[in-house]
PDB file of all heavy atoms in Angstrom:
ATOM      1  N   THR A   4       7.066   2.540  -3.580  1.00 69.00           N
ATOM      2  CA  THR A   4       8.286   3.345  -3.440  1.00 69.00           C
ATOM      3  C   THR A   4       9.007   3.422  -4.771  1.00 69.00           C
ATOM      4  O   THR A   4       8.688   2.703  -5.706  1.00 69.00           O
ATOM      5  CB  THR A   4       9.245   2.726  -2.403  1.00 69.00           C
ATOM      6  OG1 THR A   4       9.516   1.385  -2.808  1.00 69.00           O
ATOM      7  CG2 THR A   4       8.632   2.718  -1.031  1.00 69.00           C
ATOM      8  N   ARG A  23      22.484   3.108  -1.520  1.00 82.00           N
ATOM      9  CA  ARG A  23      22.092   2.566  -0.207  1.00 82.00           C
ATOM     10  C   ARG A  23      22.269   1.045  -0.143  1.00 82.00           C
ATOM     11  O   ARG A  23      22.187   0.359  -1.160  1.00 82.00           O
ATOM     12  CB  ARG A  23      20.656   2.963   0.134  1.00 82.00           C
ATOM     13  CG  ARG A  23      19.604   2.155  -0.570  1.00 82.00           C
ATOM     14  CD  ARG A  23      18.230   2.572  -0.146  1.00 82.00           C
ATOM     15  NE  ARG A  23      17.853   3.872  -0.696  1.00 82.00           N
ATOM     16  CZ  ARG A  23      16.973   4.683  -0.116  1.00 82.00           C
ATOM     17  NH1 ARG A  23      16.406   4.368   1.001  1.00 82.00           N
ATOM     18  NH2 ARG A  23      16.657   5.833  -0.691  1.00 82.00           N
ATOM     19  N   LEU A  24      22.459   0.562   1.098  1.00 86.00           N
ATOM     20  CA  LEU A  24      22.591  -0.877   1.333  1.00 86.00           C
ATOM     21  C   LEU A  24      21.336  -1.388   2.015  1.00 86.00           C
ATOM     22  O   LEU A  24      20.881  -0.807   3.000  1.00 86.00           O
ATOM     23  CB  LEU A  24      23.773  -1.127   2.270  1.00 86.00           C
ATOM     24  CG  LEU A  24      25.155  -1.171   1.638  1.00 86.00           C
ATOM     25  CD1 LEU A  24      26.214  -1.254   2.724  1.00 86.00           C
ATOM     26  CD2 LEU A  24      25.283  -2.357   0.681  1.00 86.00           C
ATOM     27  N   VAL A  25      20.769  -2.453   1.485  1.00 85.00           N
ATOM     28  CA  VAL A  25      19.539  -2.980   2.087  1.00 85.00           C
ATOM     29  C   VAL A  25      19.613  -4.501   2.213  1.00 85.00           C
ATOM     30  O   VAL A  25      20.368  -5.158   1.483  1.00 85.00           O
ATOM     31  CB  VAL A  25      18.289  -2.624   1.230  1.00 85.00           C
ATOM     32  CG1 VAL A  25      17.968  -1.150   1.283  1.00 85.00           C
ATOM     33  CG2 VAL A  25      18.475  -3.077  -0.199  1.00 85.00           C
ATOM     34  N   GLY A  26      18.777  -5.039   3.123  1.00 84.00           N
ATOM     35  CA  GLY A  26      18.689  -6.482   3.272  1.00 84.00           C
ATOM     36  C   GLY A  26      17.992  -7.083   2.062  1.00 84.00           C
ATOM     37  O   GLY A  26      17.008  -6.535   1.571  1.00 84.00           O
ATOM     38  N   HIS A  41      11.827  -1.201  -2.464  1.00 79.00           N
ATOM     39  CA  HIS A  41      12.401  -1.441  -1.133  1.00 79.00           C
ATOM     40  C   HIS A  41      11.651  -0.611  -0.086  1.00 79.00           C
ATOM     41  O   HIS A  41      11.010   0.385  -0.419  1.00 79.00           O
ATOM     42  CB  HIS A  41      13.868  -1.025  -1.125  1.00 79.00           C
ATOM     43  CG  HIS A  41      14.025   0.468  -1.281  1.00 79.00           C
ATOM     44  ND1 HIS A  41      14.146   1.311  -0.219  1.00 79.00           N
ATOM     45  CD2 HIS A  41      14.008   1.247  -2.390  1.00 79.00           C
ATOM     46  CE1 HIS A  41      14.210   2.551  -0.664  1.00 79.00           C
ATOM     47  NE2 HIS A  41      14.129   2.537  -1.972  1.00 79.00           N
ATOM     48  N   THR A  42      11.723  -1.050   1.156  1.00 71.00           N
ATOM     49  CA  THR A  42      11.320  -0.165   2.256  1.00 71.00           C
ATOM     50  C   THR A  42      12.622   0.478   2.700  1.00 71.00           C
ATOM     51  O   THR A  42      13.632   0.335   2.033  1.00 71.00           O
ATOM     52  CB  THR A  42      10.743  -0.951   3.442  1.00 71.00           C
ATOM     53  OG1 THR A  42      11.805  -1.733   3.974  1.00 71.00           O
ATOM     54  CG2 THR A  42       9.614  -1.839   3.034  1.00 71.00           C
ATOM     55  N   GLY A  43      12.629   1.114   3.876  1.00 67.00           N
ATOM     56  CA  GLY A  43      13.867   1.727   4.337  1.00 67.00           C
ATOM     57  C   GLY A  43      15.049   0.768   4.272  1.00 67.00           C
ATOM     58  O   GLY A  43      16.086   1.065   3.682  1.00 67.00           O
ATOM     59  N   ASP A  44      14.875  -0.438   4.823  1.00 75.00           N
ATOM     60  CA  ASP A  44      16.032  -1.321   5.008  1.00 75.00           C
ATOM     61  C   ASP A  44      15.996  -2.624   4.226  1.00 75.00           C
ATOM     62  O   ASP A  44      16.945  -3.389   4.270  1.00 75.00           O
ATOM     63  CB  ASP A  44      16.144  -1.721   6.492  1.00 75.00           C
ATOM     64  CG  ASP A  44      16.148  -0.505   7.378  1.00 75.00           C
ATOM     65  OD1 ASP A  44      16.812   0.462   6.986  1.00 75.00           O
ATOM     66  OD2 ASP A  44      15.478  -0.524   8.418  1.00 75.00           O
ATOM     67  N   PHE A  45      14.887  -2.923   3.582  1.00 76.00           N
ATOM     68  CA  PHE A  45      14.748  -4.230   2.942  1.00 76.00           C
ATOM     69  C   PHE A  45      14.213  -4.139   1.523  1.00 76.00           C
ATOM     70  O   PHE A  45      13.387  -3.288   1.212  1.00 76.00           O
ATOM     71  CB  PHE A  45      13.759  -5.096   3.728  1.00 76.00           C
ATOM     72  CG  PHE A  45      14.363  -5.732   4.928  1.00 76.00           C
ATOM     73  CD1 PHE A  45      14.237  -5.126   6.175  1.00 76.00           C
ATOM     74  CD2 PHE A  45      15.062  -6.919   4.829  1.00 76.00           C
ATOM     75  CE1 PHE A  45      14.799  -5.701   7.299  1.00 76.00           C
ATOM     76  CE2 PHE A  45      15.630  -7.505   5.944  1.00 76.00           C
ATOM     77  CZ  PHE A  45      15.494  -6.900   7.186  1.00 76.00           C
ATOM     78  N   HIS A 124       6.893   8.092  -1.534  1.00 72.00           N
ATOM     79  CA  HIS A 124       5.910   7.082  -1.162  1.00 72.00           C
ATOM     80  C   HIS A 124       4.565   7.428  -1.768  1.00 72.00           C
ATOM     81  O   HIS A 124       4.088   8.529  -1.615  1.00 72.00           O
ATOM     82  CB  HIS A 124       5.726   7.038   0.352  1.00 72.00           C
ATOM     83  CG  HIS A 124       6.843   6.345   1.038  1.00 72.00           C
ATOM     84  ND1 HIS A 124       6.860   4.987   1.239  1.00 72.00           N
ATOM     85  CD2 HIS A 124       7.990   6.810   1.556  1.00 72.00           C
ATOM     86  CE1 HIS A 124       7.979   4.664   1.858  1.00 72.00           C
ATOM     87  NE2 HIS A 124       8.679   5.743   2.060  1.00 72.00           N
ATOM     88  N   LEU A 403       6.719  -6.466   7.316  1.00 61.00           N
ATOM     89  CA  LEU A 403       7.377  -5.247   6.833  1.00 61.00           C
ATOM     90  C   LEU A 403       6.390  -4.225   6.293  1.00 61.00           C
ATOM     91  O   LEU A 403       6.566  -3.027   6.461  1.00 61.00           O
ATOM     92  CB  LEU A 403       8.326  -5.627   5.696  1.00 61.00           C
ATOM     93  CG  LEU A 403       9.778  -5.785   6.070  1.00 61.00           C
ATOM     94  CD1 LEU A 403      10.566  -6.102   4.821  1.00 61.00           C
ATOM     95  CD2 LEU A 403      10.301  -4.518   6.718  1.00 61.00           C
ATOM     96  N   MET A 407       6.151  -0.411   7.542  1.00 66.00           N
ATOM     97  CA  MET A 407       6.295   0.715   6.625  1.00 66.00           C
ATOM     98  C   MET A 407       5.150   1.713   6.829  1.00 66.00           C
ATOM     99  O   MET A 407       5.339   2.917   6.919  1.00 66.00           O
ATOM    100  CB  MET A 407       6.233   0.137   5.209  1.00 66.00           C
ATOM    101  CG  MET A 407       6.671   1.027   4.121  1.00 66.00           C
ATOM    102  SD  MET A 407       6.809  -0.036   2.668  1.00 66.00           S
ATOM    103  CE  MET A 407       6.983   1.179   1.412  1.00 66.00           C
TER     104      MET A 407
END
Side-chain angles (χ1 to χ4, degrees):
T4 56
R23 78 178 73 206
L24 277 173
V25 290
H41 67 94
T42 66
D44 307 319
F45 280 95
H124 283 273
L403 262 182
M407 194 168 168

